[in-house]
């Protein structure tokens, strides 16, 4: 990794806060809010994602962001790349005809959906979110994109919690993470 990229990665890392016992006892929550508050840190995240995509996924046509923090990074990246952005939302939040999948979360169950006309069959997509923990939410997004017959190029996250092995659930899809704990 180039020195400039390494500096950006250090900047991102320095803007992630840890909150013990949130949202419940025994969980160490990694907070990205300081990244969003600092223009240089937010630019660094976008730069690092853009660099990765331009080097590895030149054929991408859509960035697909997961509710809700994928919405923070995805549109910025899509704009930089000159491609579209699509939302995957929690059930009941999108108008019109939707496709949906049910999935398990770390703390319960949920359902995700996408507007049926937002992704065309064979469109090349990259999924983006802030965090990969157990992989449940990203796995649901992958299943949703498969329902849409999209070509999934990979997944991207700001933070990966390695000890929870979320990447194993997403195989054979690749996961690119900026920061790992």
């Amino acid at each position: 990794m180039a020195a400039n990229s390494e500096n950006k990665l250090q900047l991102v890392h320095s803007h992630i806060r840890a909150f013990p016992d949130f949202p419940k006892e025994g969980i160490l929550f990694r907070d990205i809010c300081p990244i969003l508050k600092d223009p240089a840190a937010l630019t660094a995240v976008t730069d690092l994602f853009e660099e990765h995509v331009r080097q590895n996924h030149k054929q991408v046509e859509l960035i697909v962001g997961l509710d809700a923090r994928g919405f923070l990074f995805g549109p910025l990246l899509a704009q930089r790349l000159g491609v579209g952005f699509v939302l995957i939302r929690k059930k009941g939040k999108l108008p019109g005809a939707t496709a949906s999948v049910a999935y398990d979360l770390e703390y319960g169950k949920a359902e995700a959906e996408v507007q049926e006309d937002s992704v065309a069959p064979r469109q090349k997509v990259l999924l983006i979110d802030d965090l990969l923990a157990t992989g449940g939410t990203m796995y649901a997004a992958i299943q949703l994109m498969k329902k849409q017959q999209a070509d999934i190029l990979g997944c991207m996250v700001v933070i990966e919690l390695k000890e929870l092995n979320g990447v194993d659930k997403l195989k054979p899809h690749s996961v690119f993470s900026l920061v790992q704990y």
Side-chain angles (χ1 to χ4, degrees):
M1 188 178 279
N4 191 31
S5 294
E6 196 59 47
N7 291 341
K8 289 176 184 179
L9 201 50
Q10 289 174 0
L11 179 62
V12 171
H13 196 275
S14 72
H15 281 76
I16 297 170
R17 288 188 298 192
F19 285 95
D21 300 321
F22 183 84
K24 65 181 190 178
E25 181 110 12
I27 303 292
L28 181 60
F29 187 86
R30 302 292 180 168
D31 180 26
I32 59 154
C33 291
I35 291 172
L36 301 171
K37 190 172 142 183
D38 184 288
L42 183 56
T43 298
V45 167
T46 310
D47 288 350
L48 291 164
F49 279 141
E50 180 185 10
E51 179 183 303
H52 171 75
V53 173
R54 290 197 186 279
Q55 288 175 3
N56 299 285
H57 303 292
K58 292 179 176 128
Q59 70 277 37
V60 66
E61 297 173 293
L62 288 174
I63 301 295
V64 178
L66 281 62
D67 196 346
R69 293 184 186 104
F71 301 171
L72 302 172
F73 303 106
L76 298 173
L77 178 60
Q79 183 181 39
R80 289 255 194 108
L81 296 169
V83 300
F85 177 76
V86 170
L87 307 169
I88 291 183
R89 300 280 332 251
K90 293 177 179 89
K91 183 138 181 86
K93 300 290 184 180
L94 290 172
T98 60
S100 66
V101 294
Y103 65 100
D104 293 324
L105 289 168
E106 294 87 84
Y107 317 111
K109 295 190 177 295
E111 206 166 335
E113 62 186 7
V114 66
Q115 290 174 317
E116 283 185 353
D117 62 356
S118 63
V119 180
R122 311 304 317 154
Q123 260 191 312
K124 293 170 179 34
V125 304
L126 281 168
L127 303 170
I128 191 167
D129 203 1
D130 69 322
L131 178 81
L132 178 64
T134 63
T137 305
M138 190 66 79
Y139 181 79
I142 288 170
Q143 296 312 305
L144 207 43
M145 289 298 99
K146 285 181 178 178
K147 266 189 170 182
Q148 297 302 106
Q149 301 172 19
D151 287 342
I152 302 161
L153 302 176
C155 308
M156 301 180 298
V157 294
V158 178
I159 301 168
E160 178 184 349
L161 303 178
K162 304 245 340 145
E163 67 184 24
L164 298 177
N165 300 313
V167 293
D168 293 343
K169 188 170 198 158
L170 307 180
K171 288 178 180 174
H173 301 288
S174 65
V175 176
F176 173 74
S177 55
L178 298 179
V179 177
Q180 300 84 31
Y181 291 100

